[in-house]
Amino acid sequence: GENVEQHPSTLSVQEGDSAVIKCTYSDSASNYFPWYKQELGKRPQLIIDIRSNVGEKKDQRIAVTLNKTAKHFSLHITETQPEDSAVYFCAAGSNDYKLSFGAGTTVTVRA
Amino acid sequence: DGGITQSPKYLFRKEGQNVTLSCEQNLNHDAMYWYRQDPGQGLRLIYYSQIVNDFQKGDIAEGYSVSREKKESFPLTVTSAQKNPTAFYLCASSIGKGHNQPQHFGDGTRLSIL
């Protein structure tokens, strides 16, 4: 089955700086890569996703890049704000509609 | 996502007891999923269903059972065979047709042992 590894497990950044989270996947059949944000005690919420036919996608301060050859994808958050503090999960899925999740990255934005 | 409702929010299980977690969605989604979340870990798939009256085991199905008698409902039973049931349980749904689509999550049920 699919194996998704996520790094780092924790990330502390100064407000206004950028944050980068990296994930690797093992199954070359994976073609869908969503990112979720989970605040303490709450449900995960989709923040951005990318499909295998696209190399990069942006939405305001958030961007995701995908390197299919190397089987890795990354989340970039620019101009971080205190409300960006949360746990972020990457995931990979294929045509069976299942997702395999990374272990999560706890992001802390220092004021 | 207001379209997925999980209940109860908190649940306590006694030794040897089976408990059932409810998940209802009004998004008209075909696919539904159950995940277990432990501290410091990602979401692990317990069971999933792509269509009514059909479901498949995920990565950690032992000690759990599900049913999918209606499109809107996908209850999860944590049986007494699950020796370490304390966790946060999340239900999700997705369109389940065509291209892979985002999964939308409920608010979760936190299960503890008495």
Side-chain angles (χ1 to χ4, degrees):
Chain A
E2 175 65 276
N3 181 45
V4 178
E5 295 192 355
Q6 183 172 346
H7 300 279
S9 57
T10 61
L11 181 59
S12 179
V13 297
Q14 189 70 36
E15 182 178 358
D17 288 349
S18 295
V20 179
I21 304 170
K22 298 182 179 181
C23 289
T24 60
Y25 62 99
S26 60
D27 189 352
S28 57
S30 290
N31 55 19
Y32 177 64
F33 307 92
W35 285 87
Y36 286 85
K37 175 183 179 182
Q38 186 179 29
E39 297 178 5
L40 192 62
K42 297 193 175 181
R43 69 177 81 186
Q45 293 199 310
L46 180 76
I47 55 172
I48 195 166
D49 57 7
I50 191 168
R51 300 188 187 278
S52 57
N53 58 347
V54 176
E56 184 176 1
K57 184 176 179 180
K58 290 183 180 179
D59 183 3
Q60 300 183 353
R61 296 186 297 109
I62 293 174
V64 58
T65 58
L66 171 65
N67 183 326
K68 285 180 59 181
T69 302
K71 295 197 186 75
H72 68 70
F73 55 114
S74 301
L75 178 72
H76 304 252
I77 307 173
T78 58
E79 300 173 20
T80 52
Q81 301 169 3
E83 53 264 37
D84 294 329
S85 295
V87 180
Y88 292 81
F89 293 98
C90 63
S94 59
N95 292 335
D96 61 1
Y97 304 112
K98 290 193 302 180
L99 291 177
S100 295
F101 285 82
T105 297
T106 301
V107 174
T108 303
V109 180
R110 307 187 306 272
Chain B
D1 294 357
I4 302 177
T5 303
Q6 288 187 243
S7 62
K9 189 170 184 177
Y10 299 96
L11 188 58
F12 298 91
R13 197 191 86 170
K14 296 179 181 178
E15 290 291 335
Q17 184 182 41
N18 293 353
V19 292
T20 297
L21 285 60
S22 170
C23 179
E24 303 277 332
Q25 55 98 0
N26 61 4
L27 300 169
N28 199 32
H29 285 172
D30 282 312
M32 296 187 74
Y33 312 83
W34 273 106
Y35 293 93
R36 171 180 172 138
Q37 186 174 29
D38 293 283
Q41 296 190 37
L43 282 66
R44 293 185 290 168
L45 183 64
I46 305 172
Y47 268 98
Y48 66 106
S49 168
Q50 294 177 326
I51 197 168
V52 174
N53 292 323
D54 188 38
F55 49 84
Q56 288 80 39
K57 293 182 179 180
D59 300 318
I60 56 165
E62 186 174 350
Y64 300 97
S65 66
V66 294
S67 63
R68 186 87 187 276
E69 297 176 2
K70 297 187 300 181
K71 188 175 186 177
E72 302 80 19
S73 178
F74 191 40
L76 173 74
T77 297
V78 184
T79 74
S80 57
Q82 173 49 246
K83 298 307 179 187
N84 184 24
T86 298
F88 189 48
Y89 291 87
L90 285 159
C91 177
S93 71
S94 71
I95 292 174
K97 292 177 181 176
H99 291 299
N100 211 331
Q101 296 291 338
Q103 292 184 13
H104 303 266
F105 287 86
D107 283 330
T109 293
R110 195 165 296 278
L111 175 62
S112 302
I113 293 278
L114 279 180

